[in-house]
Amino acid sequence: MHFLDTKDLSREQIDQLLESALRFKHGRDRSTPLAGKSVALVFFNPSLRTRASMQVGIYELGGNAVVLEPGGTSWTLEYREGAVMNADKTEHVAEFVRVLERYCVAIGVRTFATLKNWQEERIDPVLNAFAKYASVPIINLESAMHHPCQSLADMLTIREKLGAARKRVVLTWAWHPKPLPMAVPNSFALAAAQMGHDLVIAHPPGYDLDEELIGSLGATVTNDIDAAFTGADVIYAKSWGSKQFYGDTDQEIASRAQYRGKWIVDEEKMSRTNDAIFMHCLPVRRNVIVTDDVIDSPASVVIDEAENRLHVQKAMLAGLLGG
């Protein structure tokens, strides 16, 4: 079974995973289900939290992490079917995956959206190429469309700080000097809805997330950032690019310039919440996405949120590979 997103997990399954994460976090579970096993971690993109937390988690579960960086510590990879490999790609995923699974019990993959072709990237072609050829579990460490490990850490953080009851959870777009992928906001919105929260998504006109995904969640979507913050229990800030500018970065940057200064999390907006906690997946650009006054305040839980990546990933790995 692959772990590509949380779409097919029931509320009960997510609850069980979060409870398992808490047992690992508080030392009530010290099992080592990965003893004598290796897990491959394939990074097409830079990483701090994902890479460190996965390596540490695999080690603490008794296993060994094999870290590979295509084009750096391993060969450049082609994923397209029928590709004529006469350019800059050295090895095809078909061979890469089938060799690697002879050594490892699972393969984690991290690959970002290139923001060039929305219709192609929304179906996660690189991640799904790995899944197609693999007979061992493929673990999504962030793809063009989803970041399930991050969203599970987010749900654990909300539960720890505010309890398991339904909360008013606001996912707010924030200005950033360049367009970013949608994986984190997609997965956060999905998981928040799965956990039964009252989900509000705030963004400027033209910055809708994937309609098929968001349309199934029952979320309130608004272009009014001030109204969104009122009465919120959780503020989750993240920037993402607009689908209408995919492939045209210069036009995207020019269009979003009008939102600088307005679409930022600051003390004034936070004062209208219900003493909300502030969340962000990190890395975050200070005084661009969020002001120093907010991220350095007691309301900020970003470090706890980052720590929880370790615990939910241990729970996920134990559940996926511990049998």
Side-chain angles (χ1 to χ4, degrees):
M1 182 180 74
H2 300 312
F3 180 71
L4 306 183
D5 53 53
T6 65
K7 281 187 297 201
D8 295 327
L9 296 180
S10 67
R11 168 69 185 271
E12 181 182 10
Q13 288 173 314
I14 297 176
D15 281 333
Q16 291 172 349
L17 195 152
L18 298 184
E19 289 303 313
S20 174
L22 288 171
R23 290 193 294 272
F24 279 115
K25 183 171 185 175
H26 297 296
R28 299 193 300 272
D29 187 342
R30 299 184 182 277
S31 62
T32 54
L34 297 187
K37 301 176 182 179
S38 292
V39 176
L41 304 176
V42 182
F43 288 91
F44 288 87
N45 308 94
S47 173
L48 168 61
R49 279 148 292 275
T50 298
R51 181 168 179 162
S53 61
M54 285 296 293
Q55 286 187 263
V56 171
I58 292 166
Y59 169 78
E60 291 184 354
L61 293 177
N64 173 62
V66 178
V67 180
L68 298 168
E69 298 152 321
T73 56
S74 67
W75 302 113
T76 53
L77 284 181
E78 175 60 72
Y79 67 88
R80 296 169 299 167
E81 290 188 42
V84 177
M85 294 172 57
N86 60 356
D88 61 338
K89 299 298 189 292
T90 305
E91 186 163 15
H92 199 280
V93 167
E95 287 75 53
F96 181 91
V97 168
R98 289 183 291 185
V99 168
L100 202 53
E101 68 183 17
R102 300 292 178 96
Y103 314 141
C104 301
V105 296
I107 303 171
V109 183
R110 180 181 178 92
T111 174
F112 290 171
T114 61
L115 303 179
K116 292 180 179 179
N117 185 322
W118 165 247
Q119 293 304 322
E120 178 180 302
E121 292 193 327
R122 72 177 302 276
I123 62 173
D124 267 334
V126 178
L127 183 70
N128 284 317
F130 274 78
K132 174 182 177 179
Y133 294 108
S135 60
V136 299
I138 297 297
I139 299 168
N140 185 355
L141 303 180
E142 187 170 7
S143 66
M145 275 290 286
H146 290 282
H147 197 349
C149 294
Q150 179 65 54
S151 66
L152 290 173
D154 298 335
M155 295 307 108
L156 180 61
T157 306
I158 293 172
R159 175 167 294 190
E160 281 188 304
K161 301 301 180 181
L162 302 176
R166 178 182 175 92
K167 300 298 178 185
R168 180 177 169 85
V169 174
V170 175
L171 168 62
T172 180
W173 187 90
W175 182 83
H176 190 282
K178 63 181 182 180
L180 298 177
M182 299 183 191
V184 169
N186 280 342
S187 285
F188 177 81
L190 173 60
Q194 288 177 294
M195 297 305 291
H197 292 302
D198 176 14
L199 175 63
V200 178
I201 303 174
H203 59 71
Y207 283 85
D208 304 86
L209 293 168
D210 184 68
E211 288 88 351
E212 182 177 333
L213 173 66
I214 301 304
S216 67
L217 302 183
T220 299
V221 180
T222 180
N223 301 138
D224 187 340
I225 189 172
D226 296 319
F229 272 68
T230 302
D233 300 303
V234 176
I235 297 297
Y236 197 105
K238 189 70 178 77
S239 188
W240 61 85
S242 170
K243 298 188 294 295
Q244 65 181 321
F245 297 123
Y246 250 62
D248 193 341
T249 300
D250 291 341
Q251 188 177 354
E252 160 92 32
I253 290 171
S255 175
R256 65 172 46 216
Q258 63 187 301
Y259 302 119
R260 184 173 188 174
K262 177 65 173 179
W263 288 82
I264 184 174
V265 180
D266 54 26
E267 283 189 302
E268 190 279 324
K269 294 185 186 70
M270 291 295 290
S271 71
R272 289 185 272 107
T273 69
N274 184 29
D275 294 324
I277 58 174
F278 171 77
M279 303 181 70
H280 189 280
C281 61
L282 303 182
V284 65
R285 295 199 183 201
R286 285 171 172 255
N287 302 305
V288 171
I289 299 288
V290 57
T291 62
D292 286 340
D293 288 336
V294 172
I295 198 170
D296 291 330
S297 75
S300 176
V301 298
V302 296
I303 304 303
D304 294 325
E305 186 183 354
E307 179 194 343
N308 282 338
R309 290 290 304 279
L310 171 64
H311 310 303
V312 297
Q313 287 162 187
K314 287 174 68 175
M316 176 270 295
L317 289 165
L320 196 62
L321 304 173

